[in-house]
Structures are given as C-alpha cells and as structure tokens.
Amino acid sequence: MRRSAPGGVTSLLTQGEGGFLVAIIGDAEMRNEELILQQLRARGECSLEELPRLTGLDWATVFAVVDYLNRAGVVVLKKERSDYRVTLERRI
C-alpha cells in the first residue's frame, strides 16, 4: 500500500522479515512499532487519532501496533473525554 507520509514523502507498506509489516519511507525501512515510538519520543504524548497522520500508517495498523505496545508495557493508552492518548511507559 502506498501512502503519502508527512512532508510529502511517499511511503510503502510491505511485509518484512518475520512477517512484520514495515514502512519504507524514502530509502529507509522502519518497522511500524518504531514509527510510532519515534513520534511518541518526539512529542511525549499523541492522540490515537493523530498517529496515522504523523506516521503515514493507516488507522487499523496504528491501532493494532498501539494495542500490542500497550499489552507489552511499552506505552500507556488512556481515555480523556472523547479521545484516547498514547504515551511512553515511564519506568522507575
């Protein structure tokens, strides 16, 4: 699936090694998990609804990855009013 990522760069979703979906943005290949974590590191917190626009991934992929990362204890997903916010898990 081809999509236009932020900055007008074309991205391509493809199946990578081990069956993981990866995004190829420009010349760089990045796993979907890393695309989302990169945005969270840069912003600290993101709306679940804005992550597809920021990463160039479709909403269903973002939802699946955030669900996986939440269950793994890497991110925290919390409901605020009518929105879900995603943040990195703070480890003590």
Side-chain angles (χ1 to χ4, degrees):
M1 169 194 300
R2 285 195 184 274
R3 293 202 59 185
S4 181
V9 176
T10 299
S11 66
L12 172 68
L13 292 180
T14 186
Q15 190 165 357
E17 187 176 324
F20 291 100
L21 281 178
V22 296
I24 300 171
I25 300 177
D27 292 331
E29 183 176 304
M30 200 178 282
R31 284 183 51 179
N32 294 340
E33 293 91 344
E34 188 55 38
L35 287 170
I36 291 171
L37 292 173
Q38 186 178 54
Q39 291 301 320
L40 293 174
R41 286 184 201 107
R43 290 169 167 52
E45 178 178 285
C46 286
S47 161
L48 186 60
E49 296 302 320
E50 67 187 337
L51 278 171
R53 179 182 53 81
L54 295 170
T55 61
L57 301 171
D58 64 79
W59 191 89
T61 300
V62 167
F63 182 82
V65 171
V66 168
D67 181 55
Y68 169 78
L69 293 172
N70 182 47
R71 291 171 191 263
V74 177
V75 301
V76 175
L77 182 63
K78 58 185 172 183
K79 184 167 175 54
E80 290 186 4
R81 292 182 221 114
S82 64
D83 191 20
Y84 283 91
R85 307 297 294 175
V86 183
T87 58
L88 290 172
E89 174 66 61
R90 306 249 184 246
R91 305 217 183 238
I92 300 176

